[in-house]
Amino acid sequence: MSMKSPTRMHSINRSAREQDQQTIDFQVEGFKEVRSVVLSRVGHILYNLDPTTKQKADMLLSVALEIEAQMDNRFIVIRSPLQMFNHFSIPIEVYINENNSKRKIGVVEPGKRFPVPLYVAHTQDLFVKPEGEYKLCTKAIAWKELIALKKQGKKYVSYSCDWKEEGFTPFCFNAITEMDKLRYVKGSSIQSPKYIIHLHPPVMLRNLLPYPIYFTLAGTDKEVCVEKAGQASLLHVVMGKTMLWMTIKDYMNMDWQGEMTMRETLKTPLSQWGFRGARQGQDNVWLEVGVWADYSSGYLDMAIYSPYWLVNKTEQTLRYRLPLLMKGSGSEVIEHAADTKEPILFSYPSKKSTPGKNKTTITMQICDSEWSDKFSLDTVGSSGFITCSGKGQNYNIGVKNQFSNFGLTKIIVFTPEYLLVNHSEHDIVCRESGGTDHLQYDVPTGQCIPFWPVDHTNQRTLVVKLKGQKQFSEPFLFTDPHTTVLKMEEVGGITAETQLTETAKVVAIHGFKQGNFTVKLVNTTDYEVKYNQQGVNDESSLGPNECILYTWQVPTKDRQLVLKVADKTLKNDLVKDGIGEIKITTNKKAKLYWVSFLDGRQRVLLFTEDIVIATKAQQAGELEQVSLELNLSLEGVGLSMVNNYTRTEVAYIGITSSGIIWQAKQRRRFRDLAGGQVQQIEAEYQKYEAEQQLDKNAPPAIYKAGNMEMDFENLVMYNPKRHHIKRTHHPGVWAQVRTSPHQFQFHLKTHRIQMDNQTKTPIFSTVLAPIPPPKSVATENALKPMIEMSLLMGYAEHSNVQQIKIFQVLIQEMHVKLDQGFLSNFIHYLQPDTEIEGKEVELLEDDIEVVTSPLIKAEAVQAALSMDRNYYDNFHLSPLKIHVSFSLADTGAEAAADESGFQTRKKPGMKLGKNAVNLLLQSVGVTLTNVDDVVFRLGYFERRCKFYSQPQLTLELTKHYSNQAVKQLYVLVLGLDVIGNPFGFVQGMGAGIKDLFYEPYQGAVQGPEEFAEGVALGMRSLFGHAVGGAAGAVSRITGTLGKGLAALTMDDDYKRKRQQAINRQPKTLQEGFARGGKGLVMGFVEGVSGVVTKPVQGVKKEGAKGFFKGMGKGLAGIVAKPTGGVVDFASSTFEGIRRATEVSTEVKKLRPARFLHPDNVVRPYVLYEATGNALLQEIDKGKFALTDDYVDHLQVMKDCVIVLTDRRVIYLVKQDVLGGWNVAWQHPWKELKEPPVLTDKGIQVIPKEQEQPVKRGPLGRPLKIANLMKGKGPQGKVVLIADKDRERGRRFAAKMQETYAKALKIIQ
C-alpha cells in the first residue's frame, strides 16, 4: 500500500474544549482524498476509498484507521483492513500468485502482525510457509472462505506445508479468523476484508509437572524436552491421525511411557492420561496424570499436570491406598519413602476424578502402624491431624491442603504433629520425662527435627540438656502454649516455648538473653520479702535493697508467685501490669507498695515505700502531656475503578458521611442521642426553621417532642435533663493521632463503606454495604460507625519492645453480594493478561519450593523463631457477621462476542485462570450453584497480656478465622439455590433465638450498659424474620424453577431480558403483582411469536442450518416461555410479599455508573451524563445501548424525557404502574427531514415520514403523550418546553442540531 502524506493536519496540542475539532485529511495513491477524519474518538474506523480513475471504479476498496490515545497525544495508523498474526516462534513467509508463479510479499515475524497490502487484501488469496526448507501450503488462504466456514460453525481451517524432500512430516497450522473491532464504518463493510487471520500451531503443549517431560510425534525422529513450566508448539500434528508418545523420566527411579492420538474429541476441560512404568520384578506399574484441554481459541491448548502432589516431610515412610482397594494386592499401595524429596504424583482412578462428583477418599499408614481412617484430599484450604495407631505408640500427622499457583493441582503436605527446633547457640538433647529409657533426640543448633512422643497422658512433658552434659532441666509441658525460662547451670538458663498451629505443634529452645527472665524481683524497702511458687514448699527470701532474677521452680505446676512481706501474703501471676498497697499490721504508719510493670521484655516486680516511685513506674507514659495532635476529617471518599479499554466502570467504592444527628453535652463531651430522639428533635427543628422564615423576630419558644423540651434559639434541652445540644453530622472518615515521648494514640471512625457493581445488567447492584439494625433498635440506640478502631501504644526509650495497651476494632454487620460476571471483570481489572505471561516458571518454582523446603522453613516454625515481639495488654477484634450471596450468572461480564458471532479471543493464561476459579468452587464438595443470603458468623478474637511477634500474631489470626470459616462451610450446602434457600427460611424462623446468643455479646464488647440493647434486637426481629423468611424461601424456590425454564428456551436474548427484569426487584406488594402479571403475559406472547421469529432470525444468521436451529428454539420456547412466565409471576409476587415484611431497608447505589466518552479518555465524573447514560442502558432493556453512544438528555416534564444519541433521538414516557420507561417515538438522524429547531412552543422534530403508529401501553391504552405532541401534519412533532426551562431548551436544541450535523456528515 502506497500512501501520500496528508495534505493538511490540524494541531493536536489543543485544549480539551477544542478536541472535538481535531481532524486529519489523508490520501491513498490512486484514490481521492479522505477529509475531516475526527481524532477525538479512539478506535478502528473503516473508510471506503473513492478511485480517481474509471478503471478502478468496478472494485470497492477500503482502508482502516487505528486511532489510539495516550495522555494528550493521538497515534494514527493507516493500513489495509486485512492483517495476519503469527503465533509461531519462527517467521512465516507470505506469497501471492503472479504471472503463474508465486511472489513473496512479506514476512510475518514471531508474535507480530502483518498488514496485507491493500490491493492484495481485496483481490487475491494468500499462500504461506515457514522459513526454511518447506514448500508453500497446499491450499490458499482465502478470507472469504474462512468467514463462510466460520458462520457454519467451523472455528478454524487446517493447512499443511510439505518438506521439500519426500518422507518427512509436513508443517501444520490452523488459521483462525477474528473480526476487527470497528468503532465506525464510513460506507459499506460487507465486501471489506476487515479481519485478522491468526496462524496457530495445531497443538500447544504446557508442562505443569515438577519434572521435565519428553515427547515424540509420529513421523519424526526427534525427542523434544519440555522443561518444568515450559511449553512447546506441536508443529507436525494432523488431528485425528498423529500419535504422540510422551515420557516422564526418572520419576520414582523409573521411566514412564504414555501414548495418545491427537484428536478433536479429547475431553474438556479435565481428563486423565495413563502412563506405564517398569520396575524390577514388577511390570506395568500404572500412573495417571491430568490433562487440561481447551479448543475455544481454534487450536488444542493442553496442559499436563498432576491432580495431587503428596509431600512427605515426616522423615518416616508413608503408604497410601484407596479404601475401595483395601482388599487388593500390595501393588495398589503407594509407598512414599522417608528420604524422598520429590512429591508423589497422585490421582484417583479416572472414573472417580471429577471434582465435586463421586468424592473418593484415601487412607494412610506410617512405619508399622495401622491404616488411618479415610480422609478426603479435595478440601482445599483445610488442615488438621490424621491419627495412625501403632503398637504402643500413636502417630499424629499434620495435613495441610493448598492449591498450586496454576489452580489445577492440590498440594497435600504431611508433617509431624510435633517439631523440635534449636534456636540456641548450643547443641541440645531432648527426651520425654516419663522415663530414662525414652528415645533421646539430638537437635543441632539451627536445626528442626520431627518428634514422635510415646507418652500419651494428659500431662506430657519434655526435659532438655546441653549436649555432653549430664543434668537435664526441669520438665516442661509440650502440649500447651507457653514460654518458660529453665535453669541451666552451664549457661545460666534457656527458654522453652511451645506454639500450637493447625498442622504442627512447635517446641522451640532459645538461648538465654538478658531481660528475658520470668521476673526480676526488686526490694527497695526495709522489710524482707519471702517468695515461692504456688504449691512448692521451697521458699526463698529477698533482703532489703536487693534484687534477683526468678523463674518458675516447677514449670508444670500452678504459675502463681506467693509473696510474704511482714505479716501480709499476696499472689501474682506475673503476666499483667498492676499496683497495690501493703498495710503492715505491726506498724500502722508504714505503707508498702508493690508495682508490676514491663522493662522491655523483662517483667519487674518492685516493692517500695515511696508512692511516687510506684505510680511513676506504673504510669510511666500515661501522665505525659500530648506533644502532637493531628485530626483528619473527610466528608466522603470515592474510588472509581475504570477499565478504559472496555469503556466500563467496574466498581465504585464510596465512604459516605451520616445524615443529620443531634448531640447532648454530657460530662464535658457531646455524645450522640438515640436515633428516635434525633428524629423527633429534627422534626421540631424543621418547624422552628419554618417559623423563623415567616417571622425572624418571633420570641424564643419551647418545642416539645415526646418527653423532651428544647430551646432551639439557645440550643438547650430542658427535659428530661438539662443539656446543651447541637446539630451536626459524622464525617465519612474521622481519624485522630496523638503522640507524646512514650505514647502513641490512634482513633479511626469510618461511618459507612459501600461498594457498587457498576457493570451493565448486574445481578447484584451493591457488592458490599453495612446492614442497618432494625428500626426499633435504631430508635433506641445512637448511630454507630461501620468500622471503628482504637489503638494506644506505649514504648520505652531503651527498648524495642512496644506495649500495645489497647487495640480494638469494631466492625458492624454487612452483606457481600457477588456474581461471576462481576468477579471476572474485577479480576481482569486488577490483573491484566500481560502480568501473567512469562511468569510460569517462577510460579511453578514457588510450588516446588513448598515441596523441597526443610521443616525449619515452615510457617509455624518461622513464627516461633521470630524474636522481635511486642506485648499486648488488650487485643480485641469484634465478631464478624457477614451475609453472603453469590450468583453463577455472568450477565454483568463484558460481552465475549460481537454482533456477527465472532468470539473475542482470550489469552491462554486467562482461560487457565478461569478454570482454576471453577475448580476452586467445585472443591467445596458439591457443584456450587447460587447462594442466597447465607450468614457467616465469626466469633471475636481476643488476646490479653501476651507477647507476640508479628508472624505469630498473623498465624493466630489466620488460624482463628480459617477454623471458623471452614466449620461454617456447611451453610453453603443448605444455602444453595437448588431448592430455594431452606437455610434462610429456617434461620429466619429461628433468628429470635440465634440473635439472643449473638447480639448481646456484641453489646457487651461495647460496654455493659448496652447489653440490654442486644436483647431488644433479638426480641423485636422475630416477627419480621418469620413472615419474611417464609415468603423469601418460596420466592427463591420459584426463582430457581424460572431460571431452569429460561435455560430450556435456548434463547439468549430472552434470558438476558428476563434477567434485566429480575434485577429491578419489586419494592412494594403492588409492584410485585404488576410485574409478575406483565411477565406472565409476555411469556405467552414471546412463546407463540418465537415459533415464527426464531426460524427467520436463524436463516439470516446461519442459512438453512439456522432455520432448523431457530425452529427448535421456537418449539422449545412455546412450552418453556409461558411456563416460565407463570413461575416468574409467582416468584415476583412472593418477592413483593417478602420486601413488604422485610425489616431492613433497601440499599441503593451511591451514584450511576460513570459515562466514558467514545475516545476512552477518563474524565472527571459528571452526574448529569451518568444519569443520561444509565437511562439509555435501561431503555427497551438496553436495545439502543448496544449500538448507540449517549450524547445528551433533557427532562421536559415530570415523567417525560428526550434522549440524544449519536444515531437517533428518543422520546420516553414514564410508566405509572410497572415503573421503567416506554419509548413513545424514536427517529434515527437520517430519517429527519431537517435539523430540529426551537420554536415558540418547544423543540420541533420533523421526520420524513409523517404518519406514525399510535404507541400503546401494556394494557392496550394509548400512552399519555397527546398533551405533549402537537401538529401531526406537516409541522411534525413538537416537544413542549415550559417558559422556566426556555434557556435549557435552547442549549439542548443547539446540541441536537450539532449532533444531527455530525451524524449526516458521517453518513455522507
Side-chain angles (χ1 to χ4, degrees):
M1 167 181 166
S2 60
M3 180 180 63
K4 291 183 178 180
S5 300
T7 58
R8 202 163 54 245
M9 182 173 180
H10 298 293
S11 170
I12 62 173
N13 298 316
R14 296 189 177 183
S15 65
R17 184 175 296 178
E18 296 175 333
Q19 274 196 356
D20 287 342
Q21 304 303 319
Q22 294 181 19
T23 61
I24 183 177
D25 304 336
F26 70 92
Q27 183 177 12
V28 179
E29 186 176 7
F31 296 88
K32 294 181 181 179
E33 186 179 32
V34 178
R35 295 179 177 273
S36 303
V37 178
V38 180
L39 302 181
S40 61
R41 301 178 65 179
V42 300
H44 296 185
I45 309 173
L46 188 73
Y47 281 89
N48 292 157
L49 296 177
D50 189 7
T52 56
T53 61
K54 295 183 179 180
Q55 288 78 6
K56 297 181 180 180
D58 58 340
M59 181 183 303
L60 180 62
L61 300 187
S62 302
V63 68
L65 268 74
E66 294 183 8
I67 304 175
E68 295 182 4
Q70 293 184 11
M71 302 300 290
D72 202 25
N73 298 323
R74 295 291 187 272
F75 297 87
I76 302 100
V77 177
I78 305 173
R79 59 166 174 81
S80 163
L82 183 63
Q83 301 177 89
M84 188 172 285
F85 195 101
N86 179 10
H87 292 270
F88 288 90
S89 58
I90 57 176
I92 301 293
E93 299 174 352
V94 185
Y95 293 79
I96 60 171
N97 270 324
E98 187 175 273
N99 299 326
N100 297 324
S101 64
K102 300 295 190 290
R103 180 172 69 88
K104 181 177 176 182
I105 61 171
V107 177
V108 193
E109 296 296 333
K112 301 292 184 181
R113 292 192 183 192
F114 172 70
V116 179
L118 181 63
Y119 191 74
V120 172
H122 289 78
T123 60
Q124 297 198 46
D125 297 337
L126 304 174
F127 297 84
V128 300
K129 78 177 191 69
E131 273 191 350
E133 301 298 316
Y134 284 96
K135 299 179 182 179
L136 287 173
C137 54
T138 54
K139 58 182 177 180
I141 300 177
W143 65 267
K144 290 184 179 180
E145 180 184 350
L146 294 175
I147 297 305
L149 291 173
K150 188 162 188 174
K151 289 183 177 179
Q152 295 175 12
K154 192 169 184 179
K155 292 183 178 180
Y156 65 91
V157 178
S158 297
Y159 296 84
S160 62
C161 301
D162 294 330
W163 187 257
K164 288 192 174 182
E165 299 179 10
E166 296 292 334
F168 289 88
T169 306
F171 175 91
C172 302
F173 65 92
N174 290 352
I176 301 101
T177 309
E178 177 188 10
M179 181 181 288
D180 198 357
K181 295 180 180 178
L182 300 175
R183 179 180 62 79
Y184 181 71
V185 176
K186 188 178 186 306
S188 173
S189 66
I190 298 175
Q191 299 298 324
S192 174
K194 51 189 181 298
Y195 305 101
I196 305 170
I197 300 175
H198 295 268
L199 305 183
H200 275 286
V203 180
M204 179 65 73
L205 177 65
R206 307 171 188 274
N207 179 16
L208 301 183
L209 296 176
Y211 308 94
I213 59 176
Y214 301 82
F215 73 88
T216 304
L217 290 172
T220 64
D221 57 356
K222 182 180 179 182
E223 185 178 62
V224 180
C225 175
V226 184
E227 296 292 342
K228 295 177 288 187
Q231 62 184 35
S233 300
L234 278 57
L235 310 180
H236 310 289
V237 173
V238 178
M239 300 301 287
K241 296 181 180 180
T242 303
M243 181 73 73
L244 170 69
W245 287 277
M246 184 173 292
T247 304
I248 304 174
K249 294 185 178 180
D250 202 27
Y251 165 60
M252 298 180 68
N253 299 319
M254 286 186 289
D255 291 347
W256 303 78
Q257 306 286 340
E259 59 186 43
M260 176 191 295
T261 300
M262 294 288 94
R263 61 189 186 277
E264 297 177 352
T265 56
L266 189 64
K267 183 180 177 182
T268 59
L270 302 177
S271 60
Q272 292 188 187
W273 184 5
F275 284 70
R276 290 184 178 86
R279 181 182 296 165
Q280 186 176 4
Q282 194 175 29
D283 295 331
N284 294 334
V285 182
W286 190 251
L287 167 70
E288 289 192 15
V289 299
V291 178
W292 173 83
D294 181 80
Y295 296 94
S296 62
S297 296
Y299 62 95
L300 173 57
D301 190 3
M302 61 185 295
I304 307 299
Y305 71 99
S306 176
Y308 306 91
W309 291 2
L310 305 183
V311 183
N312 181 7
K313 294 191 176 184
T314 63
E315 298 188 8
Q316 303 287 336
T317 299
L318 301 179
R319 300 177 187 85
Y320 319 103
R321 70 177 179 183
L322 300 176
L324 296 177
L325 306 177
M326 284 184 178
K327 298 181 181 180
S329 63
S331 63
E332 296 162 345
V333 176
I334 302 173
E335 184 170 300
H336 203 163
D339 57 352
T340 301
K341 302 299 182 184
E342 299 168 338
I344 292 291
L345 306 181
F346 177 78
S347 62
Y348 291 123
S350 301
K351 294 182 180 180
K352 303 291 183 181
S353 65
T354 304
K357 300 178 181 179
N358 301 323
K359 287 292 180 183
T360 307
T361 56
I362 69 168
T363 63
M364 68 183 302
Q365 181 187 60
I366 180 171
C367 300
D368 57 350
S369 73
E370 300 293 331
W371 290 97
S372 71
D373 293 335
K374 60 184 180 180
F375 61 96
S376 174
L377 301 180
D378 284 329
T379 53
V380 176
S382 65
S383 54
F385 294 98
I386 300 297
T387 300
C388 296
S389 302
K391 297 179 180 178
Q393 183 174 5
N394 291 334
Y395 297 90
N396 288 336
I397 302 167
V399 183
K400 184 176 182 180
N401 192 330
Q402 66 186 68
F403 252 136
S404 67
N405 285 320
F406 290 98
L408 293 172
T409 300
K410 300 181 181 74
I411 303 176
I412 319 297
V413 182
F414 299 104
T415 56
E417 179 184 17
Y418 292 98
L419 298 173
L420 294 177
V421 185
N422 183 2
H423 197 228
S424 70
E425 299 176 352
H426 309 277
D427 295 343
I428 60 172
V429 178
C430 298
R431 69 169 172 82
E432 292 181 81
S433 58
T436 57
D437 58 339
H438 286 168
L439 179 65
Q440 293 188 359
Y441 294 85
D442 291 343
V443 190
T445 180
Q447 296 297 313
C448 175
I449 65 170
F451 165 53
W452 303 97
V454 178
D455 184 8
H456 294 287
T457 61
N458 292 331
Q459 293 286 324
R460 291 185 283 177
T461 58
L462 276 175
V463 292
V464 62
K465 69 174 183 177
L466 301 184
K467 190 172 184 178
Q469 303 297 323
K470 295 183 179 180
Q471 186 65 36
F472 279 94
S473 68
E474 289 289 332
F476 62 92
L477 293 173
F478 62 85
T479 55
D480 299 323
H482 68 87
T483 301
T484 305
V485 178
L486 303 171
K487 293 181 179 178
M488 194 72 62
E489 296 297 335
E490 297 81 0
V491 293
I494 58 173
T495 303
E497 180 182 25
T498 302
Q499 181 173 325
L500 310 184
T501 68
E502 293 176 287
T503 56
K505 299 176 181 178
V506 181
V507 181
I509 306 298
H510 304 282
F512 173 75
K513 292 184 179 180
Q514 189 69 28
N516 283 3
F517 240 67
T518 304
V519 69
K520 182 179 182 179
L521 299 176
V522 181
N523 182 12
T524 63
T525 69
D526 295 331
Y527 294 86
E528 182 183 52
V529 178
K530 295 183 179 181
Y531 59 91
N532 66 284
Q533 185 180 353
Q534 174 82 18
V536 178
N537 295 326
D538 186 8
E539 188 177 78
S540 302
S541 62
L542 180 66
N545 299 315
E546 290 183 353
C547 68
I548 192 171
L549 294 174
Y550 172 83
T551 189
W552 301 113
Q553 295 156 280
V554 182
T556 56
K557 289 195 173 182
D558 185 15
R559 296 194 174 190
Q560 288 273 344
L561 184 61
V562 181
L563 299 138
K564 297 178 181 177
V565 183
D567 55 349
K568 294 294 182 180
T569 301
L570 56 107
K571 296 180 180 180
N572 197 302
D573 57 9
L574 305 180
V575 295
K576 55 182 177 291
D577 293 352
I579 188 171
E581 182 182 15
I582 304 174
K583 294 182 179 180
I584 306 299
T585 306
T586 56
N587 186 357
K588 296 184 178 180
K589 295 183 178 181
K591 286 186 179 181
L592 306 183
Y593 302 93
W594 66 268
V595 57
S596 177
F597 62 94
L598 278 178
D599 181 15
R601 289 190 60 183
Q602 179 66 68
R603 171 65 59 184
V604 178
L605 185 58
L606 170 68
F607 295 90
T608 180
E609 299 177 20
D610 190 342
I611 189 173
V612 175
I613 294 177
T615 54
K616 283 186 176 180
Q618 170 66 15
Q619 302 175 346
E622 296 177 8
L623 302 179
E624 289 182 335
Q625 184 175 358
V626 173
S627 58
L628 174 67
E629 179 174 322
L630 299 175
N631 289 280
L632 172 68
S633 180
L634 299 175
E635 291 302 309
V637 179
L639 175 63
S640 177
M641 305 176 67
V642 179
N643 187 337
N644 59 317
Y645 293 104
T646 59
R647 287 185 63 197
T648 305
E649 185 179 37
V650 178
Y652 178 75
I653 303 173
I655 301 177
T656 57
S657 59
S658 70
I660 297 298
I661 61 169
W662 285 85
Q663 295 179 331
K665 192 173 185 179
Q666 303 172 10
R667 297 179 182 177
R668 301 181 181 180
R669 290 184 58 191
F670 279 95
R671 301 180 183 274
D672 295 353
L673 295 174
Q677 293 176 314
V678 169
Q679 292 179 359
Q680 291 177 331
I681 295 175
E682 181 63 20
E684 295 302 315
Y685 180 78
Q686 294 300 325
K687 292 181 183 178
Y688 164 75
E689 284 282 288
E691 292 174 2
Q692 287 294 306
Q693 293 292 331
L694 296 175
D695 184 6
K696 296 184 178 179
N697 298 321
I702 302 299
Y703 291 81
K704 295 183 179 181
N707 63 341
M708 297 179 291
E709 295 183 355
M710 291 81 60
D711 176 8
F712 292 117
E713 183 73 23
N714 300 304
L715 290 177
V716 176
M717 176 186 290
Y718 294 106
N719 278 325
K721 291 184 179 181
R722 182 183 174 89
H723 295 293
H724 286 283
I725 58 176
K726 71 175 181 178
R727 186 173 184 259
T728 183
H729 74 287
H730 289 308
V733 178
W734 177 86
Q736 182 185 69
V737 176
R738 308 177 75 192
T739 63
S740 65
H742 300 95
Q743 264 194 6
F744 175 82
Q745 302 175 31
F746 179 70
H747 194 186
L748 170 70
K749 292 182 180 180
T750 302
H751 173 68
R752 177 188 175 89
I753 301 176
Q754 180 172 324
M755 183 176 185
D756 292 339
N757 181 356
Q758 301 288 64
T759 55
K760 299 175 183 177
T761 63
I763 303 298
F764 305 112
S765 59
T766 301
V767 177
L768 171 70
I771 296 179
K775 293 181 180 179
S776 56
V777 177
T779 300
E780 299 178 4
N781 293 273
L783 185 67
K784 295 178 182 178
M786 181 179 176
I787 299 176
E788 184 172 5
M789 186 179 79
S790 177
L791 170 66
L792 176 60
M793 181 171 64
Y795 38 83
E797 295 181 0
H798 308 291
S799 172
N800 294 328
V801 177
Q802 296 175 343
Q803 185 172 2
I804 314 300
K805 297 183 179 181
I806 295 177
F807 183 83
Q808 293 181 332
V809 177
L810 174 63
I811 301 176
Q812 297 297 329
E813 185 177 357
M814 70 186 78
H815 76 237
V816 176
K817 298 182 178 181
L818 300 169
D819 62 74
Q820 189 161 297
F822 173 77
L823 282 178
S824 299
N825 286 328
F826 192 73
I827 293 172
H828 185 53
Y829 171 84
L830 295 178
Q831 188 177 23
D833 307 335
T834 53
E835 294 184 4
I836 302 174
E837 294 185 6
K839 293 188 177 182
E840 290 85 355
V841 175
E842 181 181 338
L843 293 174
L844 188 60
E845 288 296 335
D846 289 343
D847 291 336
I848 294 176
E849 187 176 353
V850 174
V851 178
T852 58
S853 60
L855 287 172
I856 199 168
K857 295 295 184 181
E859 183 182 21
V861 176
Q862 289 299 306
L865 297 184
S866 177
M867 298 305 295
D868 294 331
R869 305 189 180 189
N870 298 321
Y871 184 78
Y872 295 87
D873 277 290
N874 183 0
F875 187 96
H876 181 94
L877 303 182
S878 70
L880 295 178
K881 187 175 180 182
I882 306 172
H883 297 245
V884 178
S885 297
F886 180 75
S887 173
L888 287 177
D890 58 356
T891 57
E894 292 303 311
D898 57 34
E899 295 178 22
S900 302
F902 285 88
Q903 196 73 17
T904 301
R905 297 171 52 79
K906 296 184 179 180
K907 297 184 180 180
M910 295 175 61
K911 296 181 293 186
L912 199 56
K914 184 177 181 181
N915 184 76
V917 172
N918 292 335
L919 199 64
L920 176 62
L921 295 177
Q922 292 172 2
S923 68
V924 173
V926 294
T927 302
L928 188 65
T929 61
N930 292 355
V931 175
D932 188 12
D933 199 28
V934 174
V935 181
F936 278 80
R937 303 186 182 199
L938 307 182
Y940 73 96
F941 178 85
E942 185 175 73
R943 295 293 183 269
R944 291 181 179 271
C945 306
K946 295 286 186 181
F947 277 101
Y948 282 111
S949 65
Q950 190 63 40
Q952 279 180 315
L953 187 62
T954 303
L955 200 63
E956 288 272 330
L957 281 168
T958 305
K959 170 186 171 183
H960 174 81
Y961 287 111
S962 63
N963 272 344
Q964 293 187 72
V966 170
K967 288 178 182 178
Q968 294 187 36
L969 276 180
Y970 72 92
V971 298
L972 287 175
V973 180
L974 287 176
L976 295 180
D977 202 33
V978 176
I979 51 171
N981 187 351
F983 176 79
F985 177 64
V986 174
Q987 177 254 344
M989 293 294 288
I993 299 173
K994 293 175 184 287
D995 289 351
L996 287 174
F997 284 97
Y998 184 81
E999 303 298 346
Y1001 177 74
Q1002 184 180 11
V1005 172
Q1006 299 160 9
E1009 69 278 5
E1010 296 177 9
F1011 181 85
E1013 298 169 6
V1015 177
L1017 172 62
M1019 299 301 293
R1020 293 192 178 109
S1021 67
L1022 186 59
F1023 172 77
H1025 277 300
V1027 179
V1034 176
S1035 167
R1036 287 188 283 270
I1037 291 170
T1038 53
T1040 306
L1041 294 175
K1043 276 183 286 187
L1045 291 165
L1048 287 177
T1049 66
M1050 299 177 289
D1051 186 348
D1052 293 335
D1053 186 57
Y1054 173 77
K1055 288 186 281 187
R1056 178 179 63 82
K1057 289 182 178 179
R1058 177 184 176 274
Q1059 185 61 57
Q1060 286 183 330
I1062 290 175
N1063 289 344
R1064 298 197 306 271
Q1065 294 287 1
K1067 299 177 183 178
T1068 62
L1069 180 61
Q1070 296 90 333
E1071 190 173 337
F1073 274 109
R1075 288 193 180 175
K1078 180 181 178 182
L1080 178 63
V1081 174
M1082 294 308 295
F1084 280 94
V1085 171
E1086 293 196 17
V1088 175
S1089 63
V1091 178
V1092 178
T1093 59
K1094 291 304 173 185
V1096 174
Q1097 293 174 5
V1099 170
K1100 292 181 179 179
K1101 195 170 184 179
E1102 300 183 53
K1105 179 181 178 182
F1107 173 81
F1108 292 105
K1109 288 176 65 175
M1111 181 62 72
K1113 290 182 180 181
L1115 292 176
I1118 199 172
V1119 177
K1121 288 180 181 179
T1123 310
V1126 174
V1127 173
D1128 285 346
F1129 169 74
S1131 180
S1132 184
T1133 302
F1134 281 116
E1135 183 67 18
I1137 295 173
R1138 185 182 71 84
R1139 286 180 176 264
T1141 61
E1142 201 170 50
V1143 179
S1144 58
T1145 57
E1146 183 180 3
V1147 179
K1148 296 182 179 179
K1149 296 178 72 168
L1150 295 174
R1151 70 183 198 186
R1154 174 189 297 271
F1155 171 63
L1156 274 82
H1157 291 258
D1159 60 3
N1160 288 23
V1161 176
V1162 181
R1163 295 178 174 84
Y1165 182 84
V1166 179
L1167 178 61
Y1168 184 80
E1169 290 182 348
T1171 304
N1173 188 55
L1175 189 61
L1176 178 63
Q1177 302 292 334
E1178 186 180 344
I1179 298 172
D1180 204 359
K1181 298 183 175 64
K1183 172 185 175 182
F1184 298 112
L1186 295 174
T1187 57
D1188 296 19
D1189 283 328
Y1190 165 81
V1191 175
D1192 202 352
H1193 75 284
L1194 177 67
Q1195 185 162 356
V1196 293
M1197 292 190 66
K1198 182 180 179 181
D1199 53 359
C1200 299
V1201 175
I1202 184 169
V1203 179
L1204 301 185
T1205 75
D1206 62 340
R1207 298 194 177 194
R1208 72 193 76 241
V1209 55
I1210 310 171
Y1211 192 85
L1212 305 175
V1213 178
K1214 184 76 172 180
Q1215 301 181 44
D1216 288 336
V1217 180
L1218 302 177
W1221 297 87
N1222 269 346
V1223 178
W1225 53 262
Q1226 64 88 16
H1227 294 293
W1229 294 116
K1230 63 182 179 180
E1231 294 182 2
L1232 296 186
K1233 186 177 181 180
E1234 58 186 58
V1237 294
L1238 181 65
T1239 65
D1240 294 338
K1241 296 180 179 180
I1243 299 175
Q1244 185 180 50
V1245 179
I1246 304 178
K1248 293 177 181 179
E1249 297 180 5
Q1250 300 301 322
E1251 294 298 328
Q1252 297 291 333
V1254 178
K1255 293 287 183 178
R1256 299 181 181 274
L1259 302 179
R1261 298 177 181 176
L1263 295 174
K1264 54 174 189 177
I1265 61 173
N1267 60 331
L1268 302 176
M1269 302 300 150
K1270 294 188 177 181
K1272 294 275 183 170
Q1275 300 301 318
K1277 299 180 175 67
V1278 177
V1279 181
L1280 298 182
I1281 303 294
D1283 292 339
K1284 63 178 181 178
D1285 297 328
R1286 193 71 182 173
E1287 181 60 27
R1288 291 174 55 226
R1290 184 187 64 77
R1291 290 197 298 265
F1292 189 77
K1295 192 70 174 179
M1296 290 181 73
Q1297 294 168 2
E1298 179 185 348
T1299 307
Y1300 173 81
K1302 286 183 179 180
L1304 287 191
K1305 186 176 181 180
I1306 293 175
I1307 293 170
Q1308 292 170 358

